[in-house]
Amino acid sequence: MSPAPDTSLRGTQGGKKVPKRMASLLEMKEIFRNADAVCFDVDSTVIREEGIDELAKFCGVGDAVAEMTRRAMGGTVTFKAALTARLGLIRPSYEQVQKLISDHPPQLTPGIRELVNRLHQRGVQVFLVSGGFQSIVEHVALQLNIPTANVFANRLKFYFNGEYAGFDETQPTAESGGKGKVITHLKEQFHFKNVVMIGDGATDMEACPPADCFIGFGGNVIRKQVKEKAKWYITHFDELLKELEER
C-alpha cells in the first residue's frame, strides 16, 4: 500500500496554492543526515516497553489496558480518549509510579544510546516527544544525557495524599496531533530547518508534517498501519548510525 500524498502547502504560485511534493527516500536520508533536530517517540521506540502498559501490570490491570494501547497505537480511537480510559482503569498513585521506576526501570532499546551519542557529537538537538508520562520519560532522558527541558510528555496529577487525580489535559501530547504541535513549537522557537520524527506509532507518523521527515521504527513492535505507510521504515537503530557514518 503506497503512502497517501502529502497535501500540505509549500506556498503559492500565481495566487494558487501549490501542494508540497512528498520527499523521496533518498531525499529523506539527506534530511536525516542534515537534521538540526531529531525527535524520538519513547514507548516501544527509545525503550522496549509501553510505559503505560508496564504501569497497568504493576497496578494489576495489565490485560485490559494493553488492549486499549493496541487500539490507540493503531489509530482507531483518539489518543486522549484512550489515555483517559486507560488511566481511569489504572488510577496509579504517586507512590506506585515512583516504585515502578525504581523496581522496574525502563529498558533502553539496543542501539539508541549509541545513536543519541552520535547525534549529540554532530551538534544535533535531541528531543523526547511522548504520549507517556513525564516522570518516566525524564528517567529515560537522564540515561541518554538528554536535558529534561527537551522532554515533552504527559503529566499525571495527584491529590495531597498521593492518590491519582487525573492528568494535565492542556499538554499537547495528551491529544491526537499533539506531537505535531510540539514540533511546530520547536521550529518556531529554535528556527530548525530539518526536523526528523522517529517512532513506532500512528501519532508519530501524523507529526510529519510539520516534521520534515518521518522514520518508522519496528524494532520492538510492528504497527501494520505504520509499516505500510512509512516511506522509510527501520527495525534497528544501527541502520541510522550507518547513514550518519556514510557521509
PDB file of all heavy atoms in Angstrom, residues 213-243:
ATOM      1  N   CYS A 213      10.670  14.927   8.025  1.00  0.00           N
ATOM      2  CA  CYS A 213      10.911  13.534   7.670  1.00  0.00           C
ATOM      3  C   CYS A 213      10.403  12.660   8.808  1.00  0.00           C
ATOM      4  O   CYS A 213      10.591  12.994   9.976  1.00  0.00           O
ATOM      5  CB  CYS A 213      12.417  13.335   7.443  1.00  0.00           C
ATOM      6  SG  CYS A 213      12.966  11.627   7.321  1.00  0.00           S
ATOM      7  N   PHE A 214       9.734  11.563   8.462  1.00  0.00           N
ATOM      8  CA  PHE A 214       9.317  10.583   9.469  1.00  0.00           C
ATOM      9  C   PHE A 214       9.995   9.257   9.175  1.00  0.00           C
ATOM     10  O   PHE A 214       9.987   8.781   8.028  1.00  0.00           O
ATOM     11  CB  PHE A 214       7.791  10.379   9.462  1.00  0.00           C
ATOM     12  CG  PHE A 214       7.355   9.181  10.275  1.00  0.00           C
ATOM     13  CD1 PHE A 214       7.487   9.182  11.657  1.00  0.00           C
ATOM     14  CD2 PHE A 214       6.845   8.043   9.651  1.00  0.00           C
ATOM     15  CE1 PHE A 214       7.117   8.072  12.414  1.00  0.00           C
ATOM     16  CE2 PHE A 214       6.461   6.933  10.395  1.00  0.00           C
ATOM     17  CZ  PHE A 214       6.599   6.955  11.782  1.00  0.00           C
ATOM     18  N   ILE A 215      10.582   8.666  10.223  1.00  0.00           N
ATOM     19  CA  ILE A 215      11.188   7.339  10.104  1.00  0.00           C
ATOM     20  C   ILE A 215      10.412   6.392  11.010  1.00  0.00           C
ATOM     21  O   ILE A 215      10.367   6.583  12.230  1.00  0.00           O
ATOM     22  CB  ILE A 215      12.677   7.363  10.512  1.00  0.00           C
ATOM     23  CG1 ILE A 215      13.445   8.391   9.666  1.00  0.00           C
ATOM     24  CG2 ILE A 215      13.292   5.967  10.364  1.00  0.00           C
ATOM     25  CD1 ILE A 215      14.872   8.641  10.139  1.00  0.00           C
ATOM     26  N   GLY A 216       9.770   5.408  10.411  1.00  0.00           N
ATOM     27  CA  GLY A 216       9.030   4.418  11.186  1.00  0.00           C
ATOM     28  C   GLY A 216       9.983   3.429  11.825  1.00  0.00           C
ATOM     29  O   GLY A 216      10.956   3.002  11.197  1.00  0.00           O
ATOM     30  N   PHE A 217       9.694   3.052  13.085  1.00  0.00           N
ATOM     31  CA  PHE A 217      10.575   2.126  13.798  1.00  0.00           C
ATOM     32  C   PHE A 217       9.808   0.885  14.242  1.00  0.00           C
ATOM     33  O   PHE A 217       8.799   0.983  14.941  1.00  0.00           O
ATOM     34  CB  PHE A 217      11.201   2.807  15.023  1.00  0.00           C
ATOM     35  CG  PHE A 217      12.154   1.929  15.780  1.00  0.00           C
ATOM     36  CD1 PHE A 217      13.401   1.619  15.255  1.00  0.00           C
ATOM     37  CD2 PHE A 217      11.805   1.376  17.011  1.00  0.00           C
ATOM     38  CE1 PHE A 217      14.291   0.788  15.933  1.00  0.00           C
ATOM     39  CE2 PHE A 217      12.678   0.548  17.702  1.00  0.00           C
ATOM     40  CZ  PHE A 217      13.926   0.257  17.157  1.00  0.00           C
ATOM     41  N   GLY A 218      10.308  -0.288  13.833  1.00  0.00           N
ATOM     42  CA  GLY A 218       9.637  -1.534  14.177  1.00  0.00           C
ATOM     43  C   GLY A 218      10.515  -2.504  14.935  1.00  0.00           C
ATOM     44  O   GLY A 218      10.304  -3.718  14.860  1.00  0.00           O
ATOM     45  N   GLY A 219      11.495  -1.978  15.673  1.00  0.00           N
ATOM     46  CA  GLY A 219      12.427  -2.844  16.382  1.00  0.00           C
ATOM     47  C   GLY A 219      11.858  -3.521  17.609  1.00  0.00           C
ATOM     48  O   GLY A 219      12.379  -4.550  18.054  1.00  0.00           O
ATOM     49  N   ASN A 220      10.787  -2.967  18.170  1.00  0.00           N
ATOM     50  CA  ASN A 220      10.160  -3.566  19.357  1.00  0.00           C
ATOM     51  C   ASN A 220       8.784  -4.125  19.057  1.00  0.00           C
ATOM     52  O   ASN A 220       8.416  -5.188  19.544  1.00  0.00           O
ATOM     53  CB  ASN A 220      10.070  -2.525  20.478  1.00  0.00           C
ATOM     54  CG  ASN A 220      11.431  -2.134  21.002  1.00  0.00           C
ATOM     55  OD1 ASN A 220      12.244  -2.989  21.326  1.00  0.00           O
ATOM     56  ND2 ASN A 220      11.709  -0.836  21.072  1.00  0.00           N
ATOM     57  N   VAL A 221       8.020  -3.407  18.270  1.00  0.00           N
ATOM     58  CA  VAL A 221       6.687  -3.869  17.860  1.00  0.00           C
ATOM     59  C   VAL A 221       6.400  -3.275  16.485  1.00  0.00           C
ATOM     60  O   VAL A 221       6.804  -2.145  16.192  1.00  0.00           O
ATOM     61  CB  VAL A 221       5.613  -3.439  18.891  1.00  0.00           C
ATOM     62  CG1 VAL A 221       5.531  -1.930  19.012  1.00  0.00           C
ATOM     63  CG2 VAL A 221       4.247  -4.015  18.537  1.00  0.00           C
ATOM     64  N   ILE A 222       5.759  -4.054  15.643  1.00  0.00           N
ATOM     65  CA  ILE A 222       5.431  -3.567  14.297  1.00  0.00           C
ATOM     66  C   ILE A 222       3.956  -3.192  14.244  1.00  0.00           C
ATOM     67  O   ILE A 222       3.086  -4.033  14.493  1.00  0.00           O
ATOM     68  CB  ILE A 222       5.764  -4.631  13.230  1.00  0.00           C
ATOM     69  CG1 ILE A 222       7.289  -4.806  13.140  1.00  0.00           C
ATOM     70  CG2 ILE A 222       5.187  -4.243  11.874  1.00  0.00           C
ATOM     71  CD1 ILE A 222       7.736  -5.898  12.202  1.00  0.00           C
ATOM     72  N   ARG A 223       3.683  -1.912  13.977  1.00  0.00           N
ATOM     73  CA  ARG A 223       2.311  -1.437  13.773  1.00  0.00           C
ATOM     74  C   ARG A 223       2.043  -1.502  12.271  1.00  0.00           C
ATOM     75  O   ARG A 223       2.697  -0.819  11.484  1.00  0.00           O
ATOM     76  CB  ARG A 223       2.157   0.003  14.265  1.00  0.00           C
ATOM     77  CG  ARG A 223       2.825   0.317  15.600  1.00  0.00           C
ATOM     78  CD  ARG A 223       2.030  -0.141  16.774  1.00  0.00           C
ATOM     79  NE  ARG A 223       2.703   0.221  18.027  1.00  0.00           N
ATOM     80  CZ  ARG A 223       2.403  -0.280  19.211  1.00  0.00           C
ATOM     81  NH1 ARG A 223       1.429  -1.181  19.320  1.00  0.00           N
ATOM     82  NH2 ARG A 223       3.037   0.104  20.290  1.00  0.00           N
ATOM     83  N   LYS A 224       1.090  -2.328  11.895  1.00  0.00           N
ATOM     84  CA  LYS A 224       0.844  -2.601  10.471  1.00  0.00           C
ATOM     85  C   LYS A 224       0.613  -1.321   9.668  1.00  0.00           C
ATOM     86  O   LYS A 224       1.173  -1.132   8.592  1.00  0.00           O
ATOM     87  CB  LYS A 224      -0.380  -3.518  10.356  1.00  0.00           C
ATOM     88  CG  LYS A 224      -0.651  -3.972   8.935  1.00  0.00           C
ATOM     89  CD  LYS A 224      -1.804  -4.963   8.877  1.00  0.00           C
ATOM     90  CE  LYS A 224      -2.062  -5.333   7.427  1.00  0.00           C
ATOM     91  NZ  LYS A 224      -3.471  -5.436   7.106  1.00  0.00           N
ATOM     92  N   GLN A 225      -0.194  -0.426  10.217  1.00  0.00           N
ATOM     93  CA  GLN A 225      -0.533   0.805   9.502  1.00  0.00           C
ATOM     94  C   GLN A 225       0.724   1.644   9.232  1.00  0.00           C
ATOM     95  O   GLN A 225       0.893   2.203   8.142  1.00  0.00           O
ATOM     96  CB  GLN A 225      -1.526   1.625  10.335  1.00  0.00           C
ATOM     97  CG  GLN A 225      -1.916   2.955   9.701  1.00  0.00           C
ATOM     98  CD  GLN A 225      -2.660   3.864  10.675  1.00  0.00           C
ATOM     99  OE1 GLN A 225      -2.611   3.654  11.876  1.00  0.00           O
ATOM    100  NE2 GLN A 225      -3.331   4.866  10.150  1.00  0.00           N
ATOM    101  N   VAL A 226       1.609   1.696  10.211  1.00  0.00           N
ATOM    102  CA  VAL A 226       2.825   2.493  10.063  1.00  0.00           C
ATOM    103  C   VAL A 226       3.776   1.840   9.070  1.00  0.00           C
ATOM    104  O   VAL A 226       4.340   2.504   8.195  1.00  0.00           O
ATOM    105  CB  VAL A 226       3.507   2.698  11.435  1.00  0.00           C
ATOM    106  CG1 VAL A 226       4.824   3.448  11.278  1.00  0.00           C
ATOM    107  CG2 VAL A 226       2.576   3.450  12.376  1.00  0.00           C
ATOM    108  N   LYS A 227       3.948   0.536   9.174  1.00  0.00           N
ATOM    109  CA  LYS A 227       4.857  -0.164   8.257  1.00  0.00           C
ATOM    110  C   LYS A 227       4.398  -0.015   6.808  1.00  0.00           C
ATOM    111  O   LYS A 227       5.212   0.133   5.893  1.00  0.00           O
ATOM    112  CB  LYS A 227       4.945  -1.650   8.627  1.00  0.00           C
ATOM    113  CG  LYS A 227       5.989  -2.394   7.787  1.00  0.00           C
ATOM    114  CD  LYS A 227       6.134  -3.840   8.193  1.00  0.00           C
ATOM    115  CE  LYS A 227       7.225  -4.502   7.354  1.00  0.00           C
ATOM    116  NZ  LYS A 227       7.356  -5.941   7.676  1.00  0.00           N
ATOM    117  N   GLU A 228       3.096  -0.046   6.583  1.00  0.00           N
ATOM    118  CA  GLU A 228       2.561   0.060   5.220  1.00  0.00           C
ATOM    119  C   GLU A 228       2.712   1.466   4.658  1.00  0.00           C
ATOM    120  O   GLU A 228       2.954   1.640   3.462  1.00  0.00           O
ATOM    121  CB  GLU A 228       1.086  -0.341   5.206  1.00  0.00           C
ATOM    122  CG  GLU A 228       0.853  -1.832   5.380  1.00  0.00           C
ATOM    123  CD  GLU A 228      -0.623  -2.195   5.414  1.00  0.00           C
ATOM    124  OE1 GLU A 228      -1.458  -1.272   5.587  1.00  0.00           O
ATOM    125  OE2 GLU A 228      -0.930  -3.392   5.289  1.00  0.00           O
ATOM    126  N   LYS A 229       2.570   2.472   5.504  1.00  0.00           N
ATOM    127  CA  LYS A 229       2.518   3.847   5.002  1.00  0.00           C
ATOM    128  C   LYS A 229       3.840   4.599   5.071  1.00  0.00           C
ATOM    129  O   LYS A 229       4.046   5.549   4.323  1.00  0.00           O
ATOM    130  CB  LYS A 229       1.452   4.637   5.767  1.00  0.00           C
ATOM    131  CG  LYS A 229       0.037   4.180   5.463  1.00  0.00           C
ATOM    132  CD  LYS A 229      -0.987   5.085   6.134  1.00  0.00           C
ATOM    133  CE  LYS A 229      -2.408   4.660   5.775  1.00  0.00           C
ATOM    134  NZ  LYS A 229      -3.418   5.525   6.418  1.00  0.00           N
ATOM    135  N   ALA A 230       4.736   4.210   5.981  1.00  0.00           N
ATOM    136  CA  ALA A 230       6.003   4.935   6.120  1.00  0.00           C
ATOM    137  C   ALA A 230       6.918   4.652   4.930  1.00  0.00           C
ATOM    138  O   ALA A 230       7.145   3.497   4.578  1.00  0.00           O
ATOM    139  CB  ALA A 230       6.692   4.530   7.418  1.00  0.00           C
ATOM    140  N   LYS A 231       7.444   5.698   4.326  1.00  0.00           N
ATOM    141  CA  LYS A 231       8.346   5.510   3.189  1.00  0.00           C
ATOM    142  C   LYS A 231       9.714   5.012   3.653  1.00  0.00           C
ATOM    143  O   LYS A 231      10.411   4.306   2.927  1.00  0.00           O
ATOM    144  CB  LYS A 231       8.492   6.830   2.431  1.00  0.00           C
ATOM    145  CG  LYS A 231       9.292   6.710   1.154  1.00  0.00           C
ATOM    146  CD  LYS A 231       9.133   7.914   0.255  1.00  0.00           C
ATOM    147  CE  LYS A 231       7.833   7.868  -0.500  1.00  0.00           C
ATOM    148  NZ  LYS A 231       7.768   8.873  -1.571  1.00  0.00           N
ATOM    149  N   TRP A 232      10.083   5.373   4.877  1.00  0.00           N
ATOM    150  CA  TRP A 232      11.356   4.916   5.449  1.00  0.00           C
ATOM    151  C   TRP A 232      11.031   4.184   6.743  1.00  0.00           C
ATOM    152  O   TRP A 232      10.534   4.771   7.697  1.00  0.00           O
ATOM    153  CB  TRP A 232      12.274   6.105   5.704  1.00  0.00           C
ATOM    154  CG  TRP A 232      13.693   5.724   6.057  1.00  0.00           C
ATOM    155  CD1 TRP A 232      14.208   4.465   6.170  1.00  0.00           C
ATOM    156  CD2 TRP A 232      14.772   6.620   6.330  1.00  0.00           C
ATOM    157  NE1 TRP A 232      15.545   4.517   6.508  1.00  0.00           N
ATOM    158  CE2 TRP A 232      15.927   5.839   6.608  1.00  0.00           C
ATOM    159  CE3 TRP A 232      14.887   8.007   6.374  1.00  0.00           C
ATOM    160  CZ2 TRP A 232      17.156   6.399   6.929  1.00  0.00           C
ATOM    161  CZ3 TRP A 232      16.122   8.565   6.685  1.00  0.00           C
ATOM    162  CH2 TRP A 232      17.240   7.767   6.953  1.00  0.00           C
ATOM    163  N   TYR A 233      11.293   2.882   6.757  1.00  0.00           N
ATOM    164  CA  TYR A 233      10.934   2.036   7.903  1.00  0.00           C
ATOM    165  C   TYR A 233      12.140   1.200   8.294  1.00  0.00           C
ATOM    166  O   TYR A 233      12.723   0.515   7.448  1.00  0.00           O
ATOM    167  CB  TYR A 233       9.747   1.134   7.545  1.00  0.00           C
ATOM    168  CG  TYR A 233       9.080   0.484   8.740  1.00  0.00           C
ATOM    169  CD1 TYR A 233       8.133   1.175   9.492  1.00  0.00           C
ATOM    170  CD2 TYR A 233       9.394  -0.821   9.121  1.00  0.00           C
ATOM    171  CE1 TYR A 233       7.518   0.591  10.593  1.00  0.00           C
ATOM    172  CE2 TYR A 233       8.786  -1.414  10.219  1.00  0.00           C
ATOM    173  CZ  TYR A 233       7.843  -0.699  10.941  1.00  0.00           C
ATOM    174  OH  TYR A 233       7.234  -1.274  12.038  1.00  0.00           O
ATOM    175  N   ILE A 234      12.520   1.246   9.567  1.00  0.00           N
ATOM    176  CA  ILE A 234      13.693   0.523  10.039  1.00  0.00           C
ATOM    177  C   ILE A 234      13.307  -0.391  11.204  1.00  0.00           C
ATOM    178  O   ILE A 234      12.265  -0.193  11.840  1.00  0.00           O
ATOM    179  CB  ILE A 234      14.818   1.483  10.483  1.00  0.00           C
ATOM    180  CG1 ILE A 234      14.360   2.310  11.703  1.00  0.00           C
ATOM    181  CG2 ILE A 234      15.260   2.378   9.337  1.00  0.00           C
ATOM    182  CD1 ILE A 234      15.465   3.094  12.379  1.00  0.00           C
ATOM    183  N   THR A 235      14.161  -1.369  11.493  1.00  0.00           N
ATOM    184  CA  THR A 235      13.906  -2.258  12.628  1.00  0.00           C
ATOM    185  C   THR A 235      15.063  -2.268  13.622  1.00  0.00           C
ATOM    186  O   THR A 235      15.002  -2.951  14.636  1.00  0.00           O
ATOM    187  CB  THR A 235      13.639  -3.704  12.144  1.00  0.00           C
ATOM    188  OG1 THR A 235      14.739  -4.131  11.344  1.00  0.00           O
ATOM    189  CG2 THR A 235      12.345  -3.771  11.343  1.00  0.00           C
ATOM    190  N   HIS A 236      16.122  -1.512  13.318  1.00  0.00           N
ATOM    191  CA  HIS A 236      17.243  -1.401  14.266  1.00  0.00           C
ATOM    192  C   HIS A 236      17.902  -0.041  14.090  1.00  0.00           C
ATOM    193  O   HIS A 236      18.056   0.448  12.966  1.00  0.00           O
ATOM    194  CB  HIS A 236      18.272  -2.509  14.024  1.00  0.00           C
ATOM    195  CG  HIS A 236      19.148  -2.747  15.231  1.00  0.00           C
ATOM    196  ND1 HIS A 236      20.120  -1.849  15.626  1.00  0.00           N
ATOM    197  CD2 HIS A 236      19.193  -3.767  16.130  1.00  0.00           C
ATOM    198  CE1 HIS A 236      20.721  -2.294  16.712  1.00  0.00           C
ATOM    199  NE2 HIS A 236      20.178  -3.457  17.045  1.00  0.00           N
ATOM    200  N   PHE A 237      18.307   0.569  15.209  1.00  0.00           N
ATOM    201  CA  PHE A 237      18.911   1.897  15.148  1.00  0.00           C
ATOM    202  C   PHE A 237      20.272   1.891  14.473  1.00  0.00           C
ATOM    203  O   PHE A 237      20.769   2.937  14.056  1.00  0.00           O
ATOM    204  CB  PHE A 237      18.993   2.500  16.551  1.00  0.00           C
ATOM    205  CG  PHE A 237      17.658   2.928  17.088  1.00  0.00           C
ATOM    206  CD1 PHE A 237      17.189   2.445  18.299  1.00  0.00           C
ATOM    207  CD2 PHE A 237      16.851   3.811  16.374  1.00  0.00           C
ATOM    208  CE1 PHE A 237      15.954   2.841  18.793  1.00  0.00           C
ATOM    209  CE2 PHE A 237      15.613   4.206  16.856  1.00  0.00           C
ATOM    210  CZ  PHE A 237      15.161   3.723  18.072  1.00  0.00           C
ATOM    211  N   ASP A 238      20.900   0.706  14.338  1.00  0.00           N
ATOM    212  CA  ASP A 238      22.164   0.617  13.601  1.00  0.00           C
ATOM    213  C   ASP A 238      22.009   1.129  12.171  1.00  0.00           C
ATOM    214  O   ASP A 238      22.966   1.655  11.589  1.00  0.00           O
ATOM    215  CB  ASP A 238      22.661  -0.835  13.566  1.00  0.00           C
ATOM    216  CG  ASP A 238      23.335  -1.248  14.866  1.00  0.00           C
ATOM    217  OD1 ASP A 238      23.484  -0.381  15.752  1.00  0.00           O
ATOM    218  OD2 ASP A 238      23.689  -2.437  15.001  1.00  0.00           O
ATOM    219  N   GLU A 239      20.815   0.964  11.609  1.00  0.00           N
ATOM    220  CA  GLU A 239      20.572   1.429  10.238  1.00  0.00           C
ATOM    221  C   GLU A 239      20.757   2.941  10.134  1.00  0.00           C
ATOM    222  O   GLU A 239      21.246   3.453   9.120  1.00  0.00           O
ATOM    223  CB  GLU A 239      19.166   1.020   9.791  1.00  0.00           C
ATOM    224  CG  GLU A 239      18.955  -0.492   9.736  1.00  0.00           C
ATOM    225  CD  GLU A 239      17.506  -0.870   9.473  1.00  0.00           C
ATOM    226  OE1 GLU A 239      16.989  -0.509   8.397  1.00  0.00           O
ATOM    227  OE2 GLU A 239      16.889  -1.521  10.342  1.00  0.00           O
ATOM    228  N   LEU A 240      20.371   3.661  11.192  1.00  0.00           N
ATOM    229  CA  LEU A 240      20.525   5.117  11.185  1.00  0.00           C
ATOM    230  C   LEU A 240      21.964   5.515  11.491  1.00  0.00           C
ATOM    231  O   LEU A 240      22.472   6.498  10.939  1.00  0.00           O
ATOM    232  CB  LEU A 240      19.563   5.754  12.187  1.00  0.00           C
ATOM    233  CG  LEU A 240      18.082   5.530  11.892  1.00  0.00           C
ATOM    234  CD1 LEU A 240      17.220   6.269  12.897  1.00  0.00           C
ATOM    235  CD2 LEU A 240      17.729   5.976  10.464  1.00  0.00           C
ATOM    236  N   LEU A 241      22.634   4.753  12.360  1.00  0.00           N
ATOM    237  CA  LEU A 241      24.052   5.022  12.618  1.00  0.00           C
ATOM    238  C   LEU A 241      24.865   4.886  11.341  1.00  0.00           C
ATOM    239  O   LEU A 241      25.752   5.701  11.060  1.00  0.00           O
ATOM    240  CB  LEU A 241      24.582   4.045  13.678  1.00  0.00           C
ATOM    241  CG  LEU A 241      24.443   4.475  15.141  1.00  0.00           C
ATOM    242  CD1 LEU A 241      24.804   3.318  16.056  1.00  0.00           C
ATOM    243  CD2 LEU A 241      25.300   5.689  15.452  1.00  0.00           C
ATOM    244  N   LYS A 242      24.556   3.886  10.531  1.00  0.00           N
ATOM    245  CA  LYS A 242      25.261   3.676   9.269  1.00  0.00           C
ATOM    246  C   LYS A 242      25.045   4.840   8.315  1.00  0.00           C
ATOM    247  O   LYS A 242      25.960   5.257   7.608  1.00  0.00           O
ATOM    248  CB  LYS A 242      24.809   2.364   8.618  1.00  0.00           C
ATOM    249  CG  LYS A 242      25.379   1.126   9.301  1.00  0.00           C
ATOM    250  CD  LYS A 242      24.806  -0.141   8.709  1.00  0.00           C
ATOM    251  CE  LYS A 242      25.253  -1.351   9.517  1.00  0.00           C
ATOM    252  NZ  LYS A 242      24.527  -2.576   9.127  1.00  0.00           N
ATOM    253  N   GLU A 243      23.823   5.376   8.301  1.00  0.00           N
ATOM    254  CA  GLU A 243      23.534   6.547   7.447  1.00  0.00           C
ATOM    255  C   GLU A 243      24.428   7.720   7.827  1.00  0.00           C
ATOM    256  O   GLU A 243      24.908   8.451   6.968  1.00  0.00           O
ATOM    257  CB  GLU A 243      22.071   6.948   7.576  1.00  0.00           C
ATOM    258  CG  GLU A 243      21.083   6.032   6.881  1.00  0.00           C
ATOM    259  CD  GLU A 243      21.252   6.026   5.372  1.00  0.00           C
ATOM    260  OE1 GLU A 243      21.657   7.066   4.790  1.00  0.00           O
ATOM    261  OE2 GLU A 243      20.992   4.967   4.764  1.00  0.00           O
TER     262      GLU A 243
END
